[in-house]
C-alpha cells in the first residue's frame, strides 16, 4: 500500500497525534496529582450519592417490602397525592425550620461578644460548640431523661420548687412535644453557626472599623452598616445551610417521640424513615423512595428560590 493511501489518523507523522503525545505527558505531570486526589471523593460520591438517587428513581415505580418486587406504575404517586399524613408532615417540617430565627440570632450575638478581646473567649467557644459535637442520639436520650413526664428530672425540680402543681407533659402534649424538639435542635446547632459567624467577622479588615471609629460609628451602627453588609456572602451561605439542614432533618423526634403523639411530631424525613425502616405503617421501599424523591424536588425548588431572592448578598 502506498503511504498516501494510509489514513492520516494512522500515520506516525500525523501532526494531531504528535501534538497530543507531547501535550498529554506535560498535562498529567502538571495536573495529574490533583486529578488523582479528586478520584477518591468522586468514587465515594458516585457510590453513596449518585447510586442511591438512581436506586430511588427506579423503585418509585415498584412496590417492594424487602421480599417481593412488583411493578405498580404511578400508583405510588397517586397514593402520595391523597396521603394527608405526608402533606401534614411537610407543613410540620416547614414550621420546624422556623427554629433558625432562634438559633441564628443567638449564634450571631454570641459571635459578636466572643469576637472582642474578652478573656477566656476560647474557653467559651469550646463550651458553646460542645452540643454540636455530642452525637444526636445521645443528646436526645439525655433530654428524654430530663423531659420525661412521669419521672423526668425537670418535672421533679419544678415540683420541688413549687412552680407547678402537676408534671408538665413535655413529650406527650402535641404542641409541647413539637416545641421541645425545636428548642433542643436549636440548642444543638447554634454553636457551629456561631463559629461560622466568627469566621465572617474575622474576615472584615480592621481598617474599616478604624475608619468607622473616626466617623463616630459605634455599637449597633458598626453591626448594621459594616459587619452585616461585609459578611454578605458568608451570611448567605450560613442562612442557606441552616435552612436546608432544618428542611431535611428529623430533629430529635425519632428518639423523643417517634413521631407521636398522633403524628404531631412526624416531620417529613421522619415519615420517610418510617416508610423504609418501619413504624406505624408497614415497610414499603417503593413508596418511601417516592416520598423521598418528591421531597428532594421541593428542596431543590426552595434552594433555587432562595438564591434568586438573596442574589444581592453574593457580591465581591
Amino acid at each position: 500500500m502506498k503511504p498516501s493511501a494510509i489514513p492520516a489518523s494512522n500515520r506516525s507523522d500525523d501532526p494531531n497525534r504528535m501534538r497530543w503525545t507531547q501535550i498529554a505527558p506535560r498535562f498529567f505531570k502538571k495536573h495529574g496529582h490533583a486529578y488523582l486526589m479528586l478520584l477518591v471523593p468522586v468514587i465515594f460520591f458516585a457510590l453513596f450519592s449518585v447510586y442511591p438517587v438512581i436506586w430511588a428513581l427506579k423503585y418509585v415505580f415498584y412496590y417492594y417490602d424487602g421480599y417481593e418486587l412488583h411493578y405498580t406504575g404511578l400508583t405510588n404517586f397517586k397514593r402520595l397525592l391523597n396521603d394527608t399524613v405526608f402533606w401534614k408532615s411537610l407543613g410540620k417540617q416547614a414550621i420546624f425550620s422556623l427554629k433558625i430565627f432562634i438559633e441564628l440570632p443567638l449564634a450571631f450575638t454570641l459571635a459578636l461578644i466572643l469576637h472582642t478581646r474578652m478573656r477566656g473567649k476560647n474557653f467559651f467557644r469550646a463550651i458553646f460548640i460542645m452540643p454540636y459535637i455530642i452525637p444526636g442520639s445521645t443528646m436526645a436520650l439525655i433530654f428524654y431523661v430530663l423531659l420525661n413526664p412521669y419521672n423526668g428530672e425537670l418535672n421533679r425540680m419544678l415540683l420541688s420548687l413549687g412552680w407547678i402543681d402537676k408534671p408538665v407533659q413535655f413529650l406527650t402534649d402535641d404542641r409541647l412535644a413539637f416545641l421541645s424538639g425545636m428548642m433542643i435542635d436549636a440548642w444543638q446547632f447554634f454553636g457551629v453557626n456561631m463559629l461560622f459567624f466568627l469566621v465572617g467577622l474575622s474576615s472584615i479588615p480592621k481598617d474599616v472599623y478604624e475608619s468607622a471609629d473616626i466617623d463616630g460609628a459605634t455599637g449597633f451602627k458598626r453591626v448594621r452598616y459594616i459587619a452585616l453588609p461585609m459578611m454578605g456572602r458568608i451570611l448567605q451561605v450560613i442562612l442557606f445551610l441552616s435552612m436546608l439542614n432544618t428542611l431535611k432533618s428529623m430533629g430529635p423526634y425519632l428518639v423523643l417521640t417517634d413521631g407521636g403523639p398522633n403524628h404531631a411530631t412526624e416531620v417529613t424525613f421522619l415519615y420517610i424513615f418510617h416508610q423504609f425502616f418501619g413504624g406505624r405503617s408497614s415497610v414499603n421501599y417503593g413508596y418511601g423512595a417516592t416520598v423521598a424523591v418528591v421531597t428532594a424536588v421541593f428542596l431543590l425548588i426552595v434552594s433555587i428560590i432562595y438564591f434568586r431572592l438573596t442574589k444581592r448578598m453574593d457580591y465581591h
Side-chain angles (χ1 to χ4, degrees):
M1 181 180 290
K2 297 181 180 180
S4 59
I6 301 176
S9 59
N10 293 332
R11 295 180 187 175
S12 59
D13 58 345
D14 181 15
N16 293 328
R17 170 174 287 188
M18 292 179 64
R19 189 179 300 114
W20 170 249
T21 55
Q22 293 174 356
I23 293 175
R26 284 184 292 178
F27 176 83
F28 285 106
K29 183 178 179 180
K30 184 177 181 180
H31 304 288
H33 61 283
Y35 284 97
L36 187 62
M37 293 178 65
L38 288 172
L39 184 62
V40 175
V42 167
I43 292 174
F44 277 92
F45 176 77
L47 288 176
F48 298 106
S49 295
V50 177
Y51 175 73
V53 170
I54 296 174
W55 183 91
L57 290 174
K58 172 187 175 182
Y59 278 89
V60 297
F61 302 105
Y62 291 88
Y63 169 80
Y64 181 55
D65 58 2
Y67 298 98
E68 295 181 330
L69 186 65
H70 301 284
Y71 178 76
T72 57
L74 299 176
T75 302
N76 288 326
F77 289 99
K78 293 178 181 178
R79 175 184 171 184
L80 183 65
L81 292 175
N82 300 317
D83 190 348
T84 56
V85 177
F86 166 73
W87 295 109
K88 288 181 180 179
S89 71
L90 205 61
K92 292 183 180 71
Q93 193 80 51
I95 297 173
F96 179 73
S97 67
L98 296 179
K99 76 179 182 69
I100 64 174
F101 292 104
I102 302 171
E103 177 183 316
L104 295 185
L106 176 61
F108 184 66
T109 303
L110 291 174
L112 287 174
I113 296 172
L114 295 179
H115 187 60
T116 60
R117 297 180 179 179
M118 64 174 292
R119 294 183 178 180
K121 60 183 180 180
N122 290 330
F123 170 77
F124 288 105
R125 290 177 183 179
I127 290 296
F128 292 143
I129 199 63
M130 282 299 294
Y132 180 74
I133 299 174
I134 299 173
S137 57
T138 303
M139 183 196 64
L141 285 172
I142 294 172
F143 274 98
Y144 181 82
V145 174
L146 292 174
L147 301 178
N148 193 301
Y150 303 106
N151 55 359
E153 294 299 325
L154 183 57
N155 272 317
R156 285 184 180 181
M157 183 183 69
L158 295 176
L159 287 169
S160 64
L161 293 173
W163 291 359
I164 57 175
D165 298 326
K166 58 181 181 180
V168 180
Q169 305 298 314
F170 289 109
L171 303 180
T172 54
D173 180 80
D174 293 7
R175 294 181 180 179
L176 283 178
F178 191 82
L179 184 62
S180 298
M182 290 179 66
M183 295 298 103
I184 294 170
D185 206 68
W187 176 80
Q188 182 181 11
F189 287 98
F190 84 91
V192 68
N193 286 310
M194 179 198 68
L195 290 183
F196 293 154
F197 281 123
L198 280 171
V199 172
L201 291 170
S202 301
S203 65
I204 301 175
K206 294 182 179 179
D207 297 342
V208 179
Y209 285 119
E210 293 174 357
S211 300
D213 292 336
I214 295 173
D215 293 335
T218 58
F220 178 75
K221 290 183 178 180
R222 289 163 60 97
V223 178
R224 170 66 179 83
Y225 296 105
I226 298 176
L228 290 177
M230 296 197 71
M231 286 175 58
R233 176 170 292 180
I234 192 169
L235 186 61
Q236 182 192 37
V237 174
I238 293 172
L239 287 171
F240 175 70
L241 291 178
S242 298
M243 180 185 67
L244 193 64
N245 285 334
T246 55
L247 287 176
K248 64 174 188 174
S249 170
M250 65 177 70
Y253 297 125
L254 176 63
V255 176
L256 290 179
T257 61
D258 196 30
N262 194 25
H263 301 287
T265 59
E266 190 165 25
V267 291
T268 305
F269 280 83
L270 181 55
Y271 183 65
I272 295 172
F273 178 87
H274 285 155
Q275 295 301 321
F276 278 105
F277 301 103
R280 292 175 176 81
S281 58
S282 59
V283 176
N284 186 347
Y285 294 160
Y287 186 64
T290 305
V291 177
V293 169
V294 172
T295 306
V297 172
F298 284 150
L299 291 179
L300 178 62
I301 294 172
V302 170
S303 301
I304 294 172
I305 294 173
Y306 171 81
F307 280 111
R308 285 188 175 275
L309 292 177
T310 60
K311 189 175 182 180
R312 294 181 60 185
M313 297 174 66
D314 186 10
Y315 69 95
H316 295 279

